[in-house]
Amino acid sequence: MIRWYGITTGTKLCGIYWNLFGEYYIDLKRKLSFMTFYSGDSGVFRYKLDTVDTKVIKGDFGFIAQLNTKRAQERRPPENFIKMTEIFDANKFNFTRIKKDEMLFEMKCPAEETTARSNDRGDFIVANVSPLEYCHVLLVPKLYACQPQVLTADSLRLALHALLLSGTWKLRVGFNSIGALASVNHLHLHAYYLAHNLPTETLPAEPFAGPCHLVANYPASGFVFQFPPLKRRSEGSLMGELDFFIKDVYTFVDRLQQSDIPHNIFITRGTPLYAQMSRQHLVIRLYVWTRDFAYGMKDTTAFNAALAELSGHVPVKTEEGYKNIKEKDVCTVLGDVTQEMFLRAKPIALKLFKSS
């Protein structure tokens, strides 16, 4: 099944074709590259990110370390949250306040072109003014609905659509909940390109309950889902399978939210779970990392454990930290922040999926 997507940039509308088999892609990377380049020239970003010092940390996992001192020094100070159920506060920074040039484009579904859209429906891609990497943007679902930073089924669908719109394995999408180093209480996800292989593209897994698998042989304890799934449940196209996938992940994450368990989500292309093959990037892997509460930004260490770091991409804040970082340091942090909440989350996942 082929669907049409419209991306609005200013007053222009650009048609996009895509489907789940990969025959048709717009080069989303090209559009993001152009728009973020334009934004960079117009002074939108807090700093220029022309080149990023990058290295593979020696060891078993192949963690990717990158030096990004400017983000630590010049980014907007994050909110200091005290609970996961913070309501949206219009008096604090939110994405309705961003400059016009930071609004890159809007994503529209074809059905919405023929029906009236409410004023809060628009799904926007906006520039991250303090970028981690190339084309680092924010996906802001229903921007003017002013939703708090709690994952919704619609926002998860938007994230997966964005990934599927890109013909390259280098696009990564992720989410930080409140308590998991989200910095703004206005619903958003991160998307950026990283041209380096991450361990999460090929990590082994253990069967657990239905579509939910456990991450194996990795310092961070977590859960992983695969699309297309190992076991098909839809007799129709893969669009039906995508609906099941979204329902599974959202239901689990919603239970975590209700249980006050902070969580990070990381979505990337990778090898199929349990497949003995060398060809990569055949499926989508979605990781859910449950972790200790981290209210406010902790700047006492060389790096923070959020969606990128837990998945093997480690932006480092200081030159000294970058020079001296070791695999054991990363492993210790990833294990420490995930283990306790992982043990709390396992019974939740088992109850949800044991009959699947």
Side-chain angles (χ1 to χ4, degrees):
M1 174 184 286
I2 298 175
R3 285 194 171 189
W4 183 90
Y5 247 78
I7 281 185
T8 302
T9 58
T11 58
K12 290 186 176 182
L13 186 67
C14 176
I16 295 175
Y17 291 93
W18 69 280
N19 71 12
L20 298 178
F21 299 97
E23 287 100 336
Y24 301 96
Y25 287 109
I26 186 172
D27 191 347
L28 183 63
K29 181 176 180 180
R30 182 184 302 173
K31 180 166 284 292
L32 284 177
S33 297
F34 171 77
M35 296 303 293
T36 51
F37 175 79
Y38 166 76
S39 297
D41 280 356
S42 64
V44 165
F45 293 109
R46 291 175 177 246
Y47 50 85
K48 282 205 169 187
L49 199 67
D50 299 322
T51 59
V52 181
D53 287 342
T54 303
K55 67 181 180 182
V56 178
I57 301 175
K58 293 180 180 179
D60 297 329
F61 298 107
F63 295 126
I64 301 298
Q66 291 189 314
L67 178 62
N68 192 336
T69 59
K70 291 183 178 179
R71 178 174 168 83
Q73 296 167 357
E74 301 181 29
R75 66 175 297 188
R76 181 186 300 108
E79 287 189 50
N80 186 25
F81 302 110
I82 59 172
K83 57 183 178 179
M84 288 190 67
T85 54
E86 298 271 357
I87 63 172
F88 178 86
D89 187 345
N91 294 316
K92 295 181 179 180
F93 173 80
N94 63 79
F95 299 113
T96 66
R97 298 185 176 190
I98 64 175
K99 300 175 184 177
K100 182 179 179 180
D101 286 344
E102 294 176 40
M103 194 84 71
L104 300 183
F105 46 83
E106 180 181 5
M107 295 179 67
K108 295 180 180 179
C109 189
E112 294 163 354
E113 297 302 311
T114 57
T115 58
R117 285 163 57 94
S118 62
N119 290 333
D120 62 10
R121 179 63 186 88
D123 299 327
F124 289 90
I125 296 183
V126 306
N128 189 324
V129 298
S130 302
L132 278 177
E133 245 288 1
Y134 182 62
C135 293
H136 188 176
V137 296
L138 303 175
L139 312 179
V140 188
K142 300 182 182 179
L143 187 151
Y144 294 104
C146 298
Q147 302 174 95
Q149 184 66 354
V150 176
L151 192 76
T152 64
D154 283 344
S155 61
L156 180 58
R157 185 179 298 276
L158 178 66
L160 292 164
H161 282 187
L163 194 74
L164 290 164
L165 280 170
S166 180
T168 173
W169 59 270
K170 301 171 187 177
L171 182 64
R172 327 293 178 150
V173 181
F175 173 83
N176 297 323
S177 78
I178 289 179
L181 295 180
S183 60
V184 178
N185 189 23
H186 189 176
L187 181 57
H188 66 284
L189 299 95
H190 293 260
Y192 64 94
Y193 286 91
L194 181 69
H196 302 276
N197 292 115
L198 295 174
T200 36
E201 296 169 21
T202 57
L203 279 180
E206 297 176 0
F208 183 56
C212 181
H213 309 264
L214 303 183
V215 177
N217 301 330
Y218 191 65
S221 300
F223 307 86
V224 58
F225 298 77
Q226 173 184 300
F227 179 80
L230 296 169
K231 181 181 178 181
R232 294 285 295 271
R233 287 178 285 177
S234 173
E235 296 180 359
S237 71
L238 281 177
M239 289 300 298
E241 290 295 342
L242 185 63
D243 291 336
F244 279 118
F245 183 76
I246 291 169
K247 181 180 178 181
D248 288 339
V249 175
Y250 169 69
T251 302
F252 178 44
V253 172
D254 185 54
R255 292 288 196 282
L256 298 178
Q257 178 71 28
Q258 293 176 28
S259 303
D260 290 328
I261 298 178
H263 44 277
N264 305 96
I265 295 172
F266 189 78
I267 314 172
T268 185
R269 286 184 170 90
T271 57
L273 301 177
Y274 315 114
Q276 299 298 320
M277 58 178 65
S278 58
R279 188 180 177 191
Q280 299 182 14
H281 313 124
L282 293 178
V283 301
I284 291 174
R285 289 176 169 222
L286 185 150
Y287 290 87
V288 179
W289 308 108
T290 53
R291 43 86 52 72
D292 289 345
F293 290 73
Y295 294 127
M297 187 63 69
K298 311 301 183 186
D299 284 324
T300 58
T301 57
F303 65 92
N304 299 308
L307 69 92
E309 295 83 354
L310 288 164
S311 305
H313 173 210
V314 186
V316 183
K317 306 176 208 173
T318 66
E319 293 186 8
E320 181 180 2
Y322 180 74
K323 178 182 177 181
N324 296 324
I325 193 167
K326 301 288 191 299
E327 183 181 80
K328 65 178 183 178
D329 302 326
V330 179
C331 290
T332 298
V333 172
L334 301 193
D336 287 348
V337 301
T338 58
Q339 184 59 33
E340 181 179 348
M341 289 299 182
F342 171 72
L343 295 176
R344 278 188 57 190
K346 279 182 71 176
I348 296 173
L350 184 61
K351 183 176 180 180
L352 279 175
F353 300 119
K354 64 181 178 181
S355 60
S356 299

